[in-house]
Amino acid sequence: MDLKTLILTLREIFEDDHINVEEVRRVLESYKSNFNDWKQFAKFDEHKYTRNLVDIGNGKYNLMILCWGPGMASSIHDHTDAHCFVKMLDGCLTETRYDWPKGDDEPLGVLQSTTYEQNGVSYMSDELGLHRMENRSHSNGAVSLHLYIPPYDTCNMFDERTGRKTKCTVTFYSKYGEKVDYRGAKNGVTSVPTPTPPNINNMPLVSRS
């Protein structure tokens, strides 16, 4: 299975409103990471991890590639009632899960910590708690494939020491392999128009010469 086949399979699955978590997990596990499949979308930034949109499918999910430099980590966050799948494409990420805040100004309780290597798949939802993803390597980057159902553009960040939350807006560093320019545009613009409906045949899934 290549990345295009994976995307087409996900679109078929999400024609139905019911989400079978185990079915989606099996599909993601069946895809074996191939650098030539996803290198077009792997956009790194030396100052922060990046979120790079790959596919919006039938409007029911966002599929994206996240690129993590050495030592980079997300905040502790929720998923605003969305399902979250993560598949490792390259390197390793450590997921730390936390319980929801118990009260005012109380530290968040750690539930578990798991490190995922290439081709590993994890699943997270608000029912399971909060989490943080972290590249603990001091020398190597990491690349991960994320699937969010349904798509969302805001979430809540949580302070580990106090449990206090802050609402934040999430954005894309690139869309369909093209860097997003947010100057003067709330949603950003690229040289690649957003497909409506998205056309898998027009997606830049291979590197341009």
Side-chain angles (χ1 to χ4, degrees), residues 181-198:
D181 184 357
Y182 286 96
R183 291 174 298 181
K186 179 180 179 181
N187 295 321
V189 295
T190 70
S191 60
V192 177
T194 302
T196 309

Side-chain angles (χ1 to χ4, degrees), residues 44 67-71 88 90-93 135 137-143:
F44 281 84
C67 296
W68 313 75
M88 288 306 304
D90 191 43
C92 299
L93 288 179
N135 178 13
S137 172
H138 296 294
S139 56
N140 298 320
V143 182

Side-chain angles (χ1 to χ4, degrees), residues 80-149:
T80 56
D81 295 323
H83 299 267
C84 168
F85 294 86
V86 179
K87 180 183 179 70
M88 288 306 304
L89 299 180
D90 191 43
C92 299
L93 288 179
T94 298
E95 178 194 41
T96 304
R97 296 189 178 187
Y98 299 83
D99 204 355
W100 286 88
K102 298 295 187 182
D104 294 335
D105 293 327
E106 292 188 15
L108 296 176
V110 176
L111 298 175
Q112 66 182 60
S113 183
T114 307
T115 296
Y116 294 91
E117 299 180 349
Q118 187 179 51
N119 290 316
V121 176
S122 70
Y123 168 74
M124 188 61 179
S125 71
D126 287 348
E127 292 182 359
L128 301 176
L130 312 170
H131 81 167
R132 171 169 57 200
M133 303 298 290
E134 180 181 6
N135 178 13
R136 292 184 173 177
S137 172
H138 296 294
S139 56
N140 298 320
V143 182
S144 50
L145 183 70
H146 294 236
L147 177 65
Y148 298 107
I149 315 108

Side-chain angles (χ1 to χ4, degrees), residues 4 38 45 56 63 70-71 79 102 107 115 119 153 156 159-160 163 168 172 203:
K4 281 190 177 183
W38 49 260
D45 187 294
I56 59 173
L63 183 68
H79 294 91
K102 298 295 187 182
T115 296
N119 290 316
D153 54 16
N156 294 302
D159 187 302
E160 185 173 4
C168 63
F172 295 112
M203 290 180 60

